Amino acid sequence: MKMKQFAKRHLKKLIKSAYYKKVDPQLPDSQKPTVINFGNSFFDQLKNWRVFIPTLTALVLLAALSFYLWQQKTPVKTIPAPESKPQETASLFPPPTDYQKGPFLCPGIPQFCQTGKDIFIEKSYIGFGSRLPAKSHIFASFDGELATFKVAINRSPADKKTQNILVSTLTDKEHLLRAAYFFTGQAPKDRPVKKGEVIATSSGETMPLYDNSSLVFVLTRNDIVMGKRLGGERVQLKKADFQKSD
């Protein structure tokens, strides 16, 4: 009986001894609490500026990229601007008076009003123009104050070379009527003139910018600016708008 008990104890010691020989001796003892060391963790490494600055930069770039992608997914709605309707020319000026309706005295010799035509630069209406023989007279179409000045114009819209011409303005302040004469020749004196009076003499030289006309007559009504530039409603003239000069 004692022998059997001794044999059992001896067998248990052998089995226990064989089990612990197979276990990895580097494993922690199960009877001791396991301690994990966080001394070299990620957050401690951030305390080092060499790691913190690149990490912060990466986070900022990531946030900016996320915001950009979010904006792409959410299109911004734009409110269309209201359509602007072009104003009618007639609404900018009061109706013309009887005096402004004409007919007006022809500003040149009869040939000028018989052969004259509308002068345009591209799509902009300039005035009524035609060729004149040299030494042709130019007349005042109505009573008013005459003033003349010299200007330089391009020879054509595509040509940068200039041509010197004269511009005489005839102003009737009482009736808000004004005319401009574009021509070449001798400059007349500034003075008050009467309808039908000779105000200048044309040299006959043509102006390529104005479709090779020697004289261009520009008429405006309701002109309240009365400066060098025409500030009223430009009248597109026809042959029927003129009287014959005396």
Side-chain angles (χ1 to χ4, degrees):
M1 190 66 176
K2 291 182 179 180
M3 289 296 294
K4 290 181 179 181
Q5 292 178 353
F6 176 80
K8 288 181 180 181
R9 287 196 299 269
H10 184 68
L11 181 60
K12 289 180 180 181
K13 289 181 180 181
L14 290 176
I15 292 173
K16 187 176 181 180
S17 176
Y19 172 79
Y20 282 109
K21 287 181 180 179
K22 293 180 181 180
V23 176
D24 190 348
Q26 295 183 0
L27 291 175
D29 189 355
S30 59
Q31 296 179 359
K32 296 181 180 180
T34 303
V35 179
I36 301 176
N37 184 12
F38 289 97
N40 295 324
S41 66
F42 173 76
F43 292 98
D44 287 337
Q45 292 180 11
L46 289 180
K47 296 179 181 179
N48 191 335
W49 65 272
R50 294 180 180 177
V51 179
F52 177 77
I53 293 178
T55 303
L56 181 60
T57 303
L59 291 175
V60 171
L61 292 176
L62 181 61
L65 179 61
S66 300
F67 181 75
Y68 173 78
L69 295 176
W70 176 77
Q71 279 193 326
Q72 296 299 314
K73 293 180 180 180
T74 311
V76 179
K77 295 182 179 180
T78 56
I79 301 175
E83 296 182 0
S84 58
K85 296 181 180 180
Q87 293 181 334
E88 297 181 359
T89 305
S91 65
L92 299 177
F93 305 99
T97 63
D98 291 338
Y99 187 89
Q100 293 176 346
K101 291 179 180 179
F104 303 98
L105 185 69
C106 183
I109 60 176
Q111 177 185 343
F112 174 80
C113 291
Q114 292 169 3
T115 62
K117 59 183 178 180
D118 292 334
I119 304 299
F120 291 86
I121 295 180
E122 295 179 347
K123 294 183 179 180
S124 298
Y125 174 74
I126 303 301
F128 187 87
S130 182
R131 294 188 180 185
L132 287 177
K135 298 182 179 180
S136 296
H137 287 161
I138 298 174
F139 302 93
S141 291
F142 47 85
D143 297 348
E145 292 287 336
L146 183 69
T148 303
F149 51 95
K150 297 179 181 180
V151 298
I153 60 173
N154 290 343
R155 293 191 61 85
S156 69
D159 192 350
K160 295 183 179 180
K161 293 182 179 179
T162 59
Q163 178 185 17
N164 294 323
I165 68 168
L166 297 173
V167 177
S168 292
T169 58
L170 180 62
T171 303
D172 182 354
K173 292 184 179 181
E174 181 181 355
H175 298 98
L176 300 179
L177 192 65
R178 187 158 64 156
Y181 299 76
F182 298 171
F183 65 100
T184 60
Q186 187 176 359
K189 293 181 179 180
D190 295 354
R191 65 189 190 277
V193 296
K194 294 292 183 180
K195 178 180 177 180
E197 183 178 340
V198 176
I199 58 175
T201 302
S202 171
S203 67
E205 181 184 352
T206 60
M207 297 173 286
L209 181 64
Y210 301 130
D211 201 11
N212 290 314
S213 298
S214 301
L215 171 64
V216 177
F217 180 74
V218 186
L219 182 66
T220 60
R221 58 192 177 200
N222 295 318
D223 197 324
I224 59 176
V225 177
M226 300 302 179
K228 285 187 176 182
R229 298 182 64 87
L230 301 177
E233 177 188 4
R234 188 166 298 196
V235 183
Q236 189 164 351
L237 297 165
K238 304 180 294 296
K239 297 177 183 179
D241 294 326
F242 297 108
Q243 302 172 353
K244 291 183 179 180
S245 55
D246 297 332

